[in-house]
Amino acid sequence: MSTETAEMLKMTGQAAITAALFQAMEEDSKVLVFGEDVADREGGGVMGTTRGLSTKFGDLRVRSTPIAEQSIVGAAVGAAMAGYKPVAEIMLMNFITVAMDMIVNHAAKLRFMSGGQSTVPLVIRTLTGAGWQTAGQHSDHYEGWFAHTAGIKVVAPATPADYKGLLLSAIQDPDPVLFIENSRTLFVPGEVAADQGPIPLGKARVAREGTHISLITYSGMVANCLAAAAELETQGISAEVIDLRTVSPWDKDAVLASADKTGRAIVVHEAVRHFGPGGEIASTIQEELFRKLKAPVRRLGAPYSAVPFAKVLEDAFLVQPADIAAAAKALCEYD
Amino acid sequence: MSTETAEMLKMTGQAAITAALFQAMEEDSKVLVFGEDVADREGGGVMGTTRGLSTKFGDLRVRSTPIAEQSIVGAAVGAAMAGYKPVAEIMLMNFITVAMDMIVNHAAKLRFMSGGQSTVPLVIRTLTGAGWQTAGQHSDHYEGWFAHTAGIKVVAPATPADYKGLLLSAIQDPDPVLFIENSRTLFVPGEVAADQGPIPLGKARVAREGTHISLITYSGMVANCLAAAAELETQGISAEVIDLRTVSPWDKDAVLASADKTGRAIVVHEAVRHFGPGGEIASTIQEELFRKLKAPVRRLGAPYSAVPFAKVLEDAFLVQPADIAAAAKALCEYD
Amino acid sequence: MFSPRSSRGDKAKPFERGLMSQTLENRASPDAATQLDIYRRMVRIERNDEFTRTQIRRGRITAPYYSARGQEVIPSTLSNLMTDDDVICTIYRGIHDMVAKGMPLRPLWAEICGRIDGTCKGKGGPMHLTHPETGVMVTTGIVGSSMPIANGFAWASLLDGSKRVTVAYFGDGASNIGAFHEALNLASVWKLPVIFVCSNNGFAEHTRYENATSVDFISKRAIGYGMPGYTVDGNDPLDMYAHAHAAIERARAGDGPTLLECKTFRFMGHVFGDADSYMTKEEKDAALAKDPLVLFRQKLLDDGIATEEQLEEMKTSIEAEVQDAIDFAFESGYASVDELRRDVFAEEIPA
Amino acid sequence: MFSPRSSRGDKAKPFERGLMSQTLENRASPDAATQLDIYRRMVRIERNDEFTRTQIRRGRITAPYYSARGQEVIPSTLSNLMTDDDVICTIYRGIHDMVAKGMPLRPLWAEICGRIDGTCKGKGGPMHLTHPETGVMVTTGIVGSSMPIANGFAWASLLDGSKRVTVAYFGDGASNIGAFHEALNLASVWKLPVIFVCSNNGFAEHTRYENATSVDFISKRAIGYGMPGYTVDGNDPLDMYAHAHAAIERARAGDGPTLLECKTFRFMGHVFGDADSYMTKEEKDAALAKDPLVLFRQKLLDDGIATEEQLEEMKTSIEAEVQDAIDFAFESGYASVDELRRDVFAEEIPA
Ligand SMILES: Cc1ncc(C[n+]2csc(CCOP(=O)(O)OP(=O)(O)O)c2C)c(N)n1
Ligand SMILES: Cc1ncc(C[n+]2csc(CCOP(=O)(O)OP(=O)(O)O)c2C)c(N)n1
Ligand SMILES: [Mg+2]
Ligand SMILES: [Mg+2]
């Protein structure tokens, strides 16, 4: 783990993922990496995230696949049950829709349905996020579906250090993990300790301390909440930003401690607000802190529509720092 | 619509669905019915729900399909865009996992992504529900996934009259509708007006009036809430039961009116509680009625596990009337 | 089926295959002991099935039951050629595959009855029986899904450097779903040691083969995956043996997957108790008249491989095994409701 | 490609197909006017593509662009044989299919630029262009998904009693996904008037055909669906014409679907701007040297079907059309954010 004296490196989330994969494959010969175009023959991934792995660890452990997500996840399930730790890549989250059976009916359930005999320690890495004008079928956030599915964990990092540390933990985890990369944060550089090790799943991070209101968020929206908090500070409002890191299981203790302290909370995510994951968190906060809240718990998320193409619409689709600041201000003035 | 003088028939939900399909196909030659085994050559469905349709309306409009849910929903999407009103059957909700792309990326989005040029007026009928010991891959409730997906409506009736009326509306609706049948209610007889017509989507029903607490529910859990309400009455607690009928879009006005009146609310569903659809409703109630609530809004749903096989476990998995009554009592005593 | 023609061994051509189907060259034949072993597995399946149906009729088992009566030859022959290290991925209609593979009957019955001593503590039930010790790795209730998972086990064999073979069982209806296509393509491109065993019983639920399947022989689909594919008489242990042997040898040799379409018939309809109205009495009677169990028994007697007494003794001892399993199951208790919080993850979910 | 051998018309065998591929018997040939029409569509595609890439290089278009430069012959030939009533379902790499089908360029460009006058008001963008008037019904960004939807349109033709034909465009990589299998099987069982047109450009993103596909010719997969399947020289308008003609005639006659595997090459890589490191310079140069546009142009001149002047005039007028569309697009405004609440459902979502 990083300490104050640890050497710090500047790298993007993508580089952090590459580093985590190298490290995990080096440390454990059971770790496998596969997906469309991931081997070096195919350029190490269309984004280059897996570049170098197949050259170093061989074509048997690092494999490019046909375009067949059901068979990708299926092979991951079987290999995991046979004692391996597959890290399967589904290029974009929208393509997970063709592999839902393998994830939901199989990966997530086989341990339970077998009474504990089957273990399925797989990781599915996937990428998503609006902002690049890839429109309705290339940028959806469906983490809520998987959070609602018993038996699979959902991780959604926001910083390069977390990309590395959480991926290491996801690979070590004895159960299936969906690891969600966000296209707006993946290429943003940040500090990562040279010896950055695993960061535990299920533990939130206080991304910024504050006293008046809690902004509870994860993935790409951490940056927007931090921007909103900076803006709110100029208006005399001190916002605390909690980065969940893991969407499911989420860190109830950390969230309740923060909301208890501030008395006000907004849950912010990129996913559509309607029946989105924010509902679980907001509901729990009001259940647990009923008399202590100074204002209702709010939720911010995308409007009820597909991700639009035109930049002007895409910007309006995404929750912006100004939206968060306005909602926070209104809550602080709530009466 | 039924009036007090209308002739009432006794029929099961299943018979009501059959009646609705006959009526819809008779009234509109654009209505199509298809799915695995639905034609009479195959016995009119494994449950017999579509029996008689192919004989009456012909093999071109009523067709059995191969076991290929993606091609079933795909054909529904294409036929709907070509001006038909397909009613596609996905035998059980767990099998929808292999057709998610067609539903989520296509049926739900094509109107939006085409700027309104494409219309996809299809209905997907599916069945689910625990209680028959069909275990982890045959009884899941995933309505939350679809409620979270912009562009598709989600209907989940609880009574024979609603099975008929809501299905008629779903077929007439200009947009995609997921129509969820519950295996515990489908074969329970009830009263249906002989001339039962469409019942509007998005409108809840007060299944039982009450003053102390609101139980907000739908589908198979309406019966359990009514049983709980009966039990609560013996304890001097008057529970109102709101049957949402449509999960998305849900009837916010009716729910808020009830919770405003009673000051206490529990959202009850069969789906897993964790990140379940109850979060949207509970969160909204506390947001809108913050100062008016006498107690936190509770949510009851299945525990975080797959549906178990053994009857004793399956019973514990399902929210039982006693669980609801106990939660309601606790809320009424909340302080 | 056991006509002189089909017992001629390597000349057997029980089906008139279309132009492009493949025919196996070097056909292996089972010796006497092997034939007896296959028959023993068949009887174990059939007795277990019969006893199960009796318990259902008496109302002692409440779950839906997908009998495989009539399909005994397929897994019995394959299992004879497999070791405990070899693994299978099977389906809701798969108890015969497990029994053939050698799964002990006590935990099997306890599971069917939802008891704590079941293979899955009563949490999975008959559609999700699992028994890694005998290589029963996955039982799925989702049509087609045994195949992509089987590939993962087969990939693991390559990684392990082992000779382990994986068998994916599925039905004719399943050959029309996307998972079949994706799995066979991947297995072929990766040369995986996996055998795709389609039990073509002519029906998918109530749908007749030809009303859902666009090709006369499923084995022809193997052409599209550059893989050997054979239509086999799945009720003939000799034809099954020849093809299963070739497929397993090929897999063990590292030459890749094989598709076996095994023609058979399910005597009890789709789910036990269904009305069978989707088939004619004639075709059902014709199939029943060719009960593979009866025919193979006669062949063993005719060929002097076993005596009446031996076979009766075999049956009696198997019935005792089944009865013992039933007694065991009904004496076993139920899981505590805490089990809902266990096996979701490795770590127990807090109460 | 336009060697004397392949221009011999019905004797053309541009690919050495494996044992089990099918060969078309009665080959239709395009007359002079038809050839000119096909060429005109090709030029419209190529000019539109070139202008698009220029706008991207200038930073005036920001979305990812999947150029189909090199694949012009396939949709140009098919579109010549289709009417506005016939419909297509295409993919992210599909603008050439639309342009060939006759989609007007003004709303196309406005859509690519995200403007309100776009076919989809700027809500869909280049991966979801839709223009029902010219039969462009669906453009999908999901590999394989054009095919199951195309079946629905084809079913509608049967229901309507019309002769409308549906074409599903897709790539070689898409032939390995489940949707392909399910769609071809259903189309065959239902005898749907649909044509599955696979543009086999040898690559799926960065993956070479043979590293992901288990069969040497995708057309062979048709055998598994009891449907005619042909491997066609997708860069040769004559070979394309013969096969497209047969497939369309078959569909209109009610005889069911056809699979056409059209061999081609994409000159600009997967997404415009990618590094092409997954192919060799030699193979790319070889493909570029056989640019179908250049070759077909020469053939039209050689055969006296058109003069240099005519072809220059054609090009000039097409360039004017494209430039007009660009100007139109960049003058068009943006949708109001209220559009996020419109077209989700027929009824507007309340603010
Ligand atoms: C994806 C999916 N669709 C539908 C079903 C419902 N279903 C269960 S068994 C069955 C028929 C399967 O037929 P086949 O593959 O021939 O196997 P058989 O039952 O004949 O052994 C169907 C449609 C399912 N379990 N999974
Ligand atoms: C289900 C799905 N998986 C992955 C992708 C990402 N992807 C987009 S295009 C493409 C390659 C498709 O190749 P091919 O079918 O040969 O068509 P081409 O691009 O060569 O025209 C891939 C993998 C996708 N869009 N959909
Ligand atoms: Mg079958
Ligand atoms: Mg390609």
Side-chain angles (χ1 to χ4, degrees):
Chain A
M1 305 269 150
S2 78
T3 68
E4 265 169 61
T5 56
E7 188 199 345
M8 299 303 282
L9 306 173
K10 190 117 184 161
M11 62 172 83
T12 63
Q14 185 193 31
I17 289 170
T18 311
L21 292 172
F22 267 96
Q23 188 172 319
M25 293 199 79
E26 189 118 71
E27 285 171 5
D28 186 348
S29 66
K30 295 288 185 186
V31 176
L32 314 173
V33 169
F34 67 124
E36 292 155 20
D37 293 325
V38 302
D40 288 332
R41 188 178 62 191
E42 286 76 33
V46 274
M47 304 282 192
T49 309
T50 50
R51 192 166 295 154
L53 291 170
S54 69
T55 301
K56 173 140 192 205
F57 300 105
D59 287 342
L60 209 48
R61 287 177 67 198
V62 182
R63 316 204 107 181
S64 292
T65 66
I67 308 170
E69 283 76 7
Q70 209 170 336
S71 77
I72 294 173
V73 182
V77 170
M81 291 175 71
Y84 288 86
K85 294 186 173 173
V87 183
E89 177 177 314
I90 302 291
M91 203 175 280
L92 291 178
M93 189 171 238
N94 282 82
F95 313 154
I96 273 188
T97 51
V98 292
M100 288 297 283
D101 164 56
M102 280 297 149
I103 301 174
V104 170
N105 288 325
H106 295 93
K109 286 177 179 169
L110 284 168
R111 182 191 283 273
F112 184 88
M113 294 197 309
S114 69
Q117 298 177 95
S118 306
T119 59
V120 194
L122 62 82
V123 176
I124 298 170
R125 286 180 46 235
T126 195
L127 174 66
T128 196
W132 298 94
Q133 285 201 266
T134 53
Q137 293 178 337
H138 283 69
S139 33
D140 277 322
H141 271 264
Y142 296 133
E143 66 274 12
W145 295 354
F146 302 96
H148 184 43
T149 303
I152 181 165
K153 299 178 186 180
V154 181
V155 175
T159 69
D162 281 5
Y163 271 120
K164 181 163 184 212
L166 292 169
L167 183 53
L168 288 172
S169 291
I171 295 171
Q172 286 174 6
D173 198 89
D175 286 298
V177 178
L178 178 67
F179 186 88
I180 302 170
E181 300 160 23
N182 180 281
S183 63
R184 291 190 314 288
T185 65
L186 195 63
F187 306 102
V188 177
E191 299 239 297
V192 182
D195 63 350
Q196 176 68 57
I199 293 172
L201 304 189
K203 293 284 169 227
R205 172 179 79 92
V206 180
R208 176 189 173 118
E209 292 202 20
T211 54
H212 295 139
I213 188 164
S214 303
L215 305 177
I216 295 135
T217 188
Y218 55 89
S219 189
M221 281 296 147
V222 172
N224 294 27
C225 285
L226 288 172
E231 164 60 24
L232 286 164
E233 185 169 321
T234 68
Q235 302 177 36
I237 296 174
S238 163
E240 178 150 300
V241 178
I242 304 287
D243 173 3
L244 288 178
R245 288 169 151 171
T246 301
V247 180
S248 178
W250 59 286
D251 191 343
K252 207 167 137 175
D253 293 343
V255 168
L256 292 179
S258 177
D260 195 2
K261 177 175 80 174
T262 62
R264 298 180 187 88
I266 309 182
V267 188
V268 184
H269 54 56
E270 180 167 343
V272 164
R273 180 184 189 278
H274 191 69
F275 288 93
E280 174 70 23
I281 296 159
S283 296
T284 304
I285 296 173
Q286 66 84 28
E287 287 184 64
E288 302 284 331
L289 302 174
F290 184 64
R291 294 259 188 260
K292 297 186 174 164
L293 290 173
K294 298 175 190 145
V297 185
R298 292 274 180 232
R299 295 169 295 141
L300 292 176
Y304 185 77
S305 87
V307 183
F309 169 70
K311 194 88 196 93
V312 53
L313 296 180
E314 200 185 29
D315 286 346
F317 178 85
L318 277 170
V319 178
Q320 299 294 345
D323 303 324
I324 304 167
K329 192 143 184 281
L331 270 204
C332 288
E333 288 161 4
Y334 185 87
D335 205 30
Chain B
M1 307 269 151
S2 77
T3 68
E4 266 168 63
T5 55
E7 187 199 346
M8 296 305 279
L9 306 172
K10 192 118 184 159
M11 62 172 83
T12 63
Q14 185 192 33
I17 288 170
T18 310
L21 291 173
F22 268 97
Q23 187 171 321
M25 294 199 78
E26 188 118 72
E27 285 171 6
D28 185 348
S29 65
K30 295 288 185 185
V31 177
L32 314 173
V33 169
F34 67 124
E36 291 154 19
D37 293 325
V38 302
D40 288 333
R41 188 177 62 189
E42 287 75 33
V46 275
M47 304 280 191
T49 310
T50 50
R51 193 165 295 153
L53 290 171
S54 70
T55 301
K56 173 139 192 207
F57 299 105
D59 287 341
L60 209 48
R61 286 178 66 197
V62 182
R63 316 203 108 182
S64 292
T65 66
I67 308 170
E69 283 76 6
Q70 209 169 338
S71 77
I72 294 173
V73 182
V77 170
M81 289 175 72
Y84 289 86
K85 295 185 172 172
V87 183
E89 178 177 313
I90 302 290
M91 204 174 278
L92 291 178
M93 191 172 237
N94 282 81
F95 314 154
I96 272 189
T97 52
V98 292
M100 288 296 283
D101 164 56
M102 279 298 149
I103 301 174
V104 170
N105 288 325
H106 295 93
K109 286 176 179 170
L110 283 168
R111 182 191 283 275
F112 184 87
M113 295 198 307
S114 69
Q117 297 176 97
S118 306
T119 59
V120 193
L122 60 82
V123 176
I124 298 170
R125 286 181 45 236
T126 195
L127 175 65
T128 196
W132 298 94
Q133 287 201 265
T134 52
Q137 293 177 337
H138 283 69
S139 33
D140 278 322
H141 270 265
Y142 296 134
E143 66 274 11
W145 295 354
F146 302 96
H148 184 42
T149 302
I152 181 165
K153 300 177 186 180
V154 181
V155 175
T159 69
D162 281 4
Y163 272 119
K164 181 165 184 210
L166 292 170
L167 183 53
L168 288 172
S169 290
I171 295 171
Q172 287 173 6
D173 198 89
D175 287 297
V177 178
L178 178 67
F179 186 88
I180 302 170
E181 300 160 23
N182 180 281
S183 62
R184 293 189 314 287
T185 65
L186 196 63
F187 306 101
V188 178
E191 300 240 298
V192 181
D195 63 350
Q196 177 67 58
I199 293 172
L201 304 189
K203 294 281 170 229
R205 172 178 79 92
V206 180
R208 176 189 172 119
E209 292 202 20
T211 54
H212 296 139
I213 188 164
S214 303
L215 304 177
I216 296 135
T217 189
Y218 55 89
S219 188
M221 281 296 147
V222 172
N224 295 28
C225 285
L226 288 171
E231 164 62 24
L232 286 164
E233 185 167 319
T234 68
Q235 301 176 34
I237 294 173
S238 163
E240 179 148 302
V241 178
I242 305 288
D243 173 3
L244 287 179
R245 290 170 152 169
T246 301
V247 180
S248 178
W250 58 287
D251 190 343
K252 207 166 139 177
D253 293 343
V255 168
L256 293 178
S258 177
D260 194 4
K261 177 175 80 176
T262 62
R264 298 179 187 88
I266 309 181
V267 187
V268 185
H269 53 58
E270 180 167 343
V272 164
R273 181 186 190 276
H274 191 69
F275 287 93
E280 174 71 21
I281 296 159
S283 296
T284 303
I285 295 172
Q286 65 85 28
E287 287 184 63
E288 301 284 332
L289 302 174
F290 184 65
R291 296 259 187 258
K292 297 184 173 163
L293 290 173
K294 298 175 189 146
V297 184
R298 294 274 181 232
R299 293 169 297 141
L300 293 176
Y304 185 77
S305 86
V307 183
F309 170 69
K311 193 89 198 94
V312 54
L313 297 180
E314 200 185 28
D315 285 346
F317 177 86
L318 277 171
V319 178
Q320 300 292 347
D323 303 324
I324 303 167
K329 193 144 181 283
L331 270 205
C332 287
E333 289 160 4
Y334 184 89
D335 205 29
Chain C
M1 200 140 325
F2 297 101
S3 64
R5 190 163 162 274
S6 76
S7 27
R8 250 183 285 140
D10 63 49
K11 288 269 185 271
K13 267 198 188 163
F15 297 103
E16 218 35 80
R17 294 185 201 92
L19 195 61
M20 291 154 181
S21 266
Q22 292 161 277
T23 311
L24 183 65
E25 300 298 321
N26 305 302
R27 295 173 62 95
S29 304
D31 61 19
T34 302
Q35 291 187 45
L36 207 56
D37 177 74
I38 292 170
Y39 181 71
R40 191 187 53 74
R41 292 175 200 261
M42 287 171 62
V43 175
R44 195 158 171 264
I45 293 168
E46 187 273 335
R47 288 290 84 199
N48 193 65
D49 179 75
E50 168 76 32
F51 278 54
T52 306
R53 285 183 281 112
T54 303
Q55 295 299 321
I56 293 171
R57 265 191 236 95
R58 292 192 191 148
R60 294 182 81 198
I61 295 177
T62 46
Y65 179 61
Y66 305 90
S67 167
R69 188 63 262 284
Q71 305 189 176
E72 292 84 0
V73 171
I74 301 163
S76 296
T77 311
L78 278 154
S79 297
N80 170 274
L81 291 158
M82 284 192 273
T83 72
D84 275 0
D85 279 346
D86 296 321
V87 303
I88 66 170
C89 297
T90 186
I91 61 169
Y92 52 91
R93 192 185 319 283
I95 293 181
H96 60 317
D97 301 328
M98 304 167 202
V99 172
K101 191 73 174 53
M103 184 160 160
L105 299 186
R106 282 182 163 211
L108 187 157
W109 270 87
E111 190 59 32
I112 291 176
C113 298
R115 310 296 169 122
I116 186 76
D117 293 317
T119 53
C120 312
K121 308 183 194 168
K123 293 158 98 163
M127 271 201 273
H128 307 298
L129 286 156
T130 306
H131 196 260
E133 291 84 344
T134 52
V136 178
M137 303 311 289
V138 181
T139 304
T140 181
I142 307 296
V143 165
S145 298
S146 57
M147 293 173 267
I149 298 176
N151 281 343
F153 284 102
W155 182 21
S157 298
L158 297 188
L159 287 156
D160 293 346
S162 86
K163 296 265 172 220
R164 185 180 58 234
V165 161
T166 301
V167 166
Y169 288 109
F170 60 101
D172 50 302
S175 77
N176 296 321
I177 204 165
F180 165 89
H181 179 67
E182 294 192 10
L184 270 73
N185 182 58
L186 186 78
S188 179
V189 172
W190 285 12
K191 276 194 154 196
L192 296 176
V194 57
I195 304 166
F196 298 101
V197 179
C198 177
S199 300
N200 182 352
N201 55 23
F203 289 91
E205 296 210 336
H206 302 185
T207 298
R208 216 172 257 287
Y209 175 87
E210 58 272 25
N211 292 331
T213 319
S214 53
V215 66
D216 47 0
F217 292 97
I218 290 171
S219 61
K220 286 189 187 173
R221 290 190 170 158
I223 296 165
Y225 309 111
M227 139 184 349
Y230 304 103
T231 298
V232 187
D233 184 341
N235 285 1
D236 176 354
L238 303 192
D239 202 33
M240 264 311 296
Y241 188 85
H243 289 89
H245 191 273
I248 288 178
E249 286 304 299
R250 177 177 151 83
R252 291 211 206 282
D255 293 336
T258 301
L259 171 62
L260 298 181
E261 175 194 17
C262 312
K263 293 267 210 171
T264 184
F265 198 89
R266 24 153 247 218
F267 289 178
M268 300 291 155
H270 173 60
V271 60
F272 179 55
D274 84 15
D276 270 13
S277 67
Y278 47 88
M279 56 173 79
T280 66
K281 195 171 161 354
E282 291 71 44
E283 69 186 316
K284 189 168 176 181
D285 287 348
L288 292 174
K290 293 191 291 181
D291 187 332
L293 213 94
V294 175
L295 292 176
F296 194 35
R297 187 176 200 283
Q298 196 54 53
K299 177 181 185 301
L300 294 178
L301 296 174
D302 291 353
D303 292 359
I305 290 173
T307 63
E308 275 285 356
E309 295 68 45
Q310 278 176 306
L311 297 186
E312 277 311 299
E313 196 182 300
M314 179 191 283
K315 181 173 152 191
T316 310
S317 93
I318 285 172
E319 284 182 349
E321 185 197 4
V322 178
Q323 191 55 52
D324 165 74
I326 297 176
D327 296 342
F328 172 83
F330 284 109
E331 271 157 36
S332 172
Y334 290 102
S336 110
V337 298
D338 295 342
E339 282 297 336
L340 290 175
R341 293 182 289 98
R342 295 192 193 120
D343 307 324
V344 177
F345 290 133
E347 206 177 313
E348 186 167 328
I349 307 280
Chain D
M1 200 141 322
F2 296 102
S3 63
R5 188 164 164 276
S6 78
S7 28
R8 251 184 285 139
D10 62 51
K11 288 268 185 273
K13 265 199 185 163
F15 299 102
E16 218 33 80
R17 293 184 201 94
L19 195 61
M20 291 155 181
S21 266
Q22 293 162 275
T23 311
L24 184 65
E25 300 296 321
N26 306 300
R27 296 174 61 95
S29 305
D31 61 18
T34 300
Q35 292 188 44
L36 207 55
D37 178 75
I38 293 170
Y39 181 72
R40 190 187 53 74
R41 291 175 201 261
M42 288 171 62
V43 174
R44 196 158 170 260
I45 292 168
E46 187 274 336
R47 287 291 84 200
N48 193 65
D49 179 75
E50 167 76 32
F51 279 53
T52 306
R53 286 183 279 114
T54 302
Q55 295 299 321
I56 293 172
R57 266 192 236 95
R58 294 195 190 144
R60 295 183 80 198
I61 295 177
T62 46
Y65 178 61
Y66 305 90
S67 167
R69 189 62 262 283
Q71 305 188 176
E72 292 84 1
V73 171
I74 301 163
S76 295
T77 311
L78 278 154
S79 297
N80 169 274
L81 290 158
M82 285 192 272
T83 71
D84 275 0
D85 279 347
D86 296 320
V87 303
I88 66 171
C89 298
T90 187
I91 60 170
Y92 52 91
R93 190 184 319 284
I95 293 180
H96 60 316
D97 301 327
M98 304 167 202
V99 172
K101 191 70 173 53
M103 184 160 160
L105 299 186
R106 283 182 160 209
L108 187 158
W109 270 87
E111 190 59 32
I112 291 176
C113 298
R115 311 295 168 121
I116 186 77
D117 293 318
T119 52
C120 313
K121 307 183 195 169
K123 294 158 97 163
M127 272 201 275
H128 307 298
L129 285 156
T130 306
H131 196 260
E133 291 84 344
T134 52
V136 179
M137 303 311 289
V138 181
T139 303
T140 181
I142 308 295
V143 165
S145 298
S146 58
M147 292 174 266
I149 299 176
N151 280 343
F153 284 102
W155 183 20
S157 297
L158 297 187
L159 287 156
D160 293 345
S162 86
K163 297 266 172 217
R164 185 181 57 234
V165 162
T166 301
V167 167
Y169 288 109
F170 60 101
D172 49 303
S175 77
N176 296 321
I177 204 164
F180 166 90
H181 179 67
E182 295 193 8
L184 269 73
N185 183 58
L186 186 78
S188 179
V189 173
W190 285 12
K191 275 196 156 195
L192 297 176
V194 57
I195 304 166
F196 298 101
V197 178
C198 176
S199 300
N200 181 353
N201 54 25
F203 288 90
E205 295 210 336
H206 302 185
T207 299
R208 217 172 257 287
Y209 175 87
E210 57 273 25
N211 292 332
T213 318
S214 53
V215 66
D216 48 359
F217 292 97
I218 291 172
S219 61
K220 286 188 185 171
R221 290 190 169 156
I223 296 164
Y225 309 111
M227 138 185 350
Y230 304 102
T231 297
V232 187
D233 184 340
N235 285 0
D236 175 353
L238 301 192
D239 202 33
M240 265 310 297
Y241 188 86
H243 288 90
H245 190 272
I248 289 178
E249 286 303 298
R250 178 176 151 83
R252 291 211 206 282
D255 294 335
T258 301
L259 171 62
L260 298 181
E261 176 194 18
C262 312
K263 294 266 209 170
T264 184
F265 198 90
R266 23 152 245 215
F267 289 178
M268 298 292 153
H270 173 59
V271 60
F272 179 54
D274 82 15
D276 270 14
S277 66
Y278 47 87
M279 56 172 79
T280 66
K281 194 170 162 356
E282 291 70 45
E283 71 185 316
K284 189 169 175 182
D285 287 349
L288 292 174
K290 292 192 291 183
D291 186 333
L293 213 92
V294 175
L295 292 176
F296 195 35
R297 187 177 201 281
Q298 195 55 51
K299 177 181 185 302
L300 294 179
L301 295 175
D302 290 353
D303 291 2
I305 290 174
T307 62
E308 274 285 357
E309 293 68 46
Q310 278 176 305
L311 297 186
E312 277 311 299
E313 195 183 300
M314 179 191 280
K315 180 174 152 192
T316 310
S317 93
I318 285 172
E319 285 183 347
E321 185 195 3
V322 178
Q323 190 55 54
D324 165 75
I326 297 175
D327 296 342
F328 172 82
F330 284 110
E331 271 157 36
S332 172
Y334 291 103
S336 112
V337 298
D338 295 342
E339 282 298 334
L340 291 175
R341 295 183 288 98
R342 298 197 189 117
D343 307 324
V344 177
F345 290 134
E347 206 176 312
E348 185 167 328
I349 308 281

